[in-house]
Amino acid sequence: RHKFWETQPVGQFKDIGDTSLPEGPIEPPTPLSEVKQEPYNLPNLYEWVTCDIDSDEMCTEVYNLLTNNYVEDDENMFRFKYSKEFLRWALRPPGYFKSWHIGVRVKSSKKLVAFITGVPARIRVRDDIVIMAEINFLCVHKKLRSKRLAPVMIKEVTRRVHLENIWQAAYTAGVVLPTPISTCQYWHRSLNPKKLIDVGFSRLGARMTMSRTIKLYKLPESTATPGFRKMEFHDVPAITRLIRNYMSQFAAAPDFDENDVEHWLLPKEDVVDSYLVESPETHEITDFCSFYTLPSSILGNQNYSALKAAYSYYNISTKTPLLQLMNDALIVAKRKDYDVFNALDVMHNESFLKDLKFGPGDGKLHYYLYNYRIRQTLKPAELGLVLL
Ligand code: NHW
Ligand code: EN5
């Protein structure tokens, strides 16, 4: 069934339910001297390239490859269109390794035809903090699919991660592989229902007119929570304390320090937006919400070429009800002209999705760990991790 994944240290379908297997690494690290020193062999027409994402030319090549060949929905109506600034943000967190940004070129033409990346992260799984690579942006050009290039790319990134003495990884995918630690549902909240219906992202409900639909999704002009404001640099220590404390309740979550919070949560225009609640009386910071910007190309529509989507990122409520906090996030996103606000059913998101008129999408997101077994699959609500 899975000729490649059967050979890898990941949970296997045949082991599901076997509670005698221990939680933790599946295989031990090998001495660094035993890690293969040369890259894996590619088919003869192709060569490896380490992508310098700082360089405008290289960043443009990666952007073009992904814009034309990355993830689509099951009916091929939309394709993720990560911006260059987003890619730079996603690929250069604290302690990143340039060697983990891996491309494949055609030798003769130098055209970039495949890509895969890793970035380092500390992820807590129950009581253990595990140094991992987060793997993302695996992409093979449409014309080179089904030639078993992906397994070579995955083995090569694994080798380069091992060379940094890191032996575990985390990744998400829309496809089922051996074997998910959790399976989450995408939910969507219409902000611009007319456009969403016009482009086929959503449908007019039964017994609904366009004008009733527009009214249904209408939002107030301004936010409701006193002390709700954009996060600033000087908030990094307080937000770090808030998020560290909050994340401790989930079975798997990132272990963010101040440098991570500065990188991942400080607002960056058209990349990541973060808001907090500062008590007008005590100036205490009690709540936080954030979303990242990931547009999609609309494939083959006469009137529109892009969908502007916000994706719920990390949200923390200790005083403001999460429902009210997220309603304010929707108001901000609407004011900034997003068409749709997307969220997964991770963390406490279930508690607001239905009330705030999110509806389930046709996509699921499966979460995976490499070389780390967990005894039972996690409920989405036990997950405190959002990958980009
Ligand atoms: S998920 C997004 C992945 N990208 C896309 O969907 C873009 C559009 N599709 C493509 O570009 C986020 C191609 O279809 C890809 C596969 C490249 C997906 N993850 O070359 P072949 C991520 O980036 C397996 C893992 O012939 P292809 C996460 C498949 O099951 N494996 O296929 C990435 C089969 O193996 P099997 C995937 O269609 C995580 C083999 O690839 C996969 O031309 C990577 C077929 O290869 C996927 N999304 O290219 C793992 N899709 O055993 C990281 C297919 O079943 C692991 N496959 O025969 C950790 C590494 C680090 C460890 C460090 C310690
Ligand atoms: C790794 N970091 O399928 C990323 N998206 O539901 C890899 N559906 O947008 C992740 N098909 O349901 C890959 N509209 C997995 C995601 C791949 C992309 C994907 C889904 C998620 C999606 C939309 C459009 C469907 C178009 C036809 C969808 C319904 C919205 C509706 C709004 C009103 C209330 C009910 C729902």
Side-chain angles (χ1 to χ4, degrees):
R1 281 248 45 218
H2 290 285
K3 266 297 161 231
F4 169 65
W5 281 110
E6 280 168 10
T7 69
Q8 298 297 301
V10 294
Q12 299 294 333
F13 289 119
K14 64 174 174 50
D15 299 332
I16 286 180
D18 185 344
T19 48
S20 72
L21 294 166
E23 212 159 270
I26 295 170
E27 54 181 44
T30 53
L32 283 184
S33 58
E34 286 171 28
V35 178
K36 194 166 150 7
Q37 290 300 303
E38 330 72 45
Y40 282 89
N41 289 325
L42 281 168
N44 239 314
L45 298 173
Y46 308 101
E47 63 189 21
W48 296 111
V49 52
T50 294
C51 296
D52 178 3
I53 213 78
D54 292 346
S55 121
D56 280 332
E57 295 96 296
M58 194 69 241
C59 195
T60 300
E61 285 185 85
V62 168
Y63 169 82
N64 287 335
L65 174 72
L66 296 180
T67 295
N68 295 316
N69 301 277
Y70 200 50
V71 176
E72 300 179 6
D73 67 295
D74 63 352
E75 291 166 284
N76 312 103
M77 297 172 69
F78 305 97
R79 189 188 306 123
F80 286 156
K81 189 181 171 85
Y82 288 91
S83 71
K84 292 182 201 179
E85 275 320 298
F86 190 110
L87 292 170
R88 289 211 164 100
W89 172 65
L91 295 178
R92 293 185 303 180
Y96 79 94
F97 302 97
K98 209 176 105 177
S99 60
W100 295 6
H101 305 160
I102 308 172
V104 172
R105 288 193 193 286
V106 175
K107 276 184 191 163
S108 57
S109 64
K110 302 289 167 194
K111 185 182 159 79
L112 186 72
V113 292
F115 192 58
I116 190 168
T117 68
V119 294
R122 291 181 313 284
I123 295 177
R124 183 182 49 75
V125 183
R126 307 218 191 262
D127 294 330
D128 291 321
I129 291 174
V130 188
I131 312 281
M132 297 202 195
E134 290 176 352
I135 306 299
N136 205 351
F137 305 114
L138 169 59
C139 183
V140 168
H141 193 286
K142 285 178 181 248
K143 293 201 165 149
L144 299 178
R145 298 277 169 88
S146 308
K147 298 177 183 296
R148 312 300 297 180
L149 219 48
V152 189
M153 313 239 0
I154 294 166
K155 284 191 276 185
E156 181 59 14
V157 75
T158 301
R159 188 185 72 82
R160 296 187 192 194
V161 170
H162 286 167
L163 285 173
E164 304 298 339
N165 201 18
I166 295 173
W167 305 88
Q168 272 74 35
Y171 49 104
T172 56
V175 295
V176 179
L177 303 165
T179 52
I181 61 158
S182 187
T183 294
C184 299
Q185 174 71 53
Y186 277 103
W187 291 71
H188 307 281
R189 205 306 183 171
S190 303
L191 301 175
N192 187 357
K194 169 134 187 359
K195 174 170 168 184
L196 294 182
I197 291 167
D198 286 349
V199 303
F201 187 92
S202 65
R203 281 206 281 257
L204 208 53
R207 284 164 265 107
M208 282 293 275
T209 62
M210 188 60 86
S211 57
R212 278 186 68 198
T213 304
I214 291 168
K215 195 172 152 203
L216 174 68
Y217 290 115
K218 213 160 174 56
L219 286 160
E221 288 293 324
S222 46
T223 57
T225 311
F228 186 89
R229 62 166 174 86
K230 206 170 170 155
M231 179 188 174
E232 296 170 27
F233 180 75
H234 69 262
D235 299 316
V236 166
I239 295 298
T240 307
R241 271 177 275 148
L242 193 68
I243 199 167
R244 290 188 63 82
N245 185 36
Y246 191 78
M247 286 300 167
S248 65
Q249 66 187 298
F250 304 109
D255 178 55
F256 279 159
D257 65 16
E258 290 189 5
N259 288 322
D260 300 316
V261 167
E262 177 182 342
H263 180 83
W264 292 121
L265 300 179
L266 201 60
K268 202 175 281 295
E269 202 176 339
D270 296 330
V271 174
V272 61
D273 278 76
S274 303
Y275 291 83
L276 53 74
V277 182
E278 175 179 347
S279 160
E281 294 87 34
T282 66
H283 296 284
E284 204 192 346
I285 291 168
T286 54
D287 312 276
F288 175 83
C289 62
S290 59
F291 56 85
Y292 61 84
T293 299
L294 168 50
S296 283
S297 304
I298 303 172
L299 308 174
N301 186 279
Q302 307 290 352
N303 302 315
Y304 298 101
S305 62
L307 194 70
K308 189 172 176 192
Y311 285 75
S312 173
Y313 196 32
Y314 292 99
N315 308 309
I316 307 172
S317 103
T318 73
K319 280 244 166 64
T320 310
L322 188 57
L323 189 86
Q324 181 181 328
L325 189 69
M326 295 310 295
N327 199 51
D328 282 348
L330 292 176
I331 291 167
V332 168
K334 171 71 196 175
R335 211 165 47 204
K336 293 192 169 199
D337 212 37
Y338 290 82
D339 298 314
V340 62
F341 194 103
N342 299 332
L344 293 163
D345 53 357
V346 297
M347 295 181 269
H348 297 315
N349 291 358
E350 281 273 35
S351 72
F352 64 76
L353 291 169
K354 285 184 178 152
D355 288 341
L356 294 182
K357 301 171 185 161
F358 285 73
D362 62 2
K364 288 199 180 336
L365 188 65
H366 308 279
Y367 279 70
Y368 301 94
L369 296 177
Y370 183 93
N371 194 24
Y372 202 92
R373 186 185 293 112
I374 57 155
R375 228 186 304 278
Q376 274 199 37
T377 62
L378 303 177
K379 298 185 194 78
E382 297 179 291
L383 265 184
L385 184 64
V386 178
L387 301 182
L388 304 171

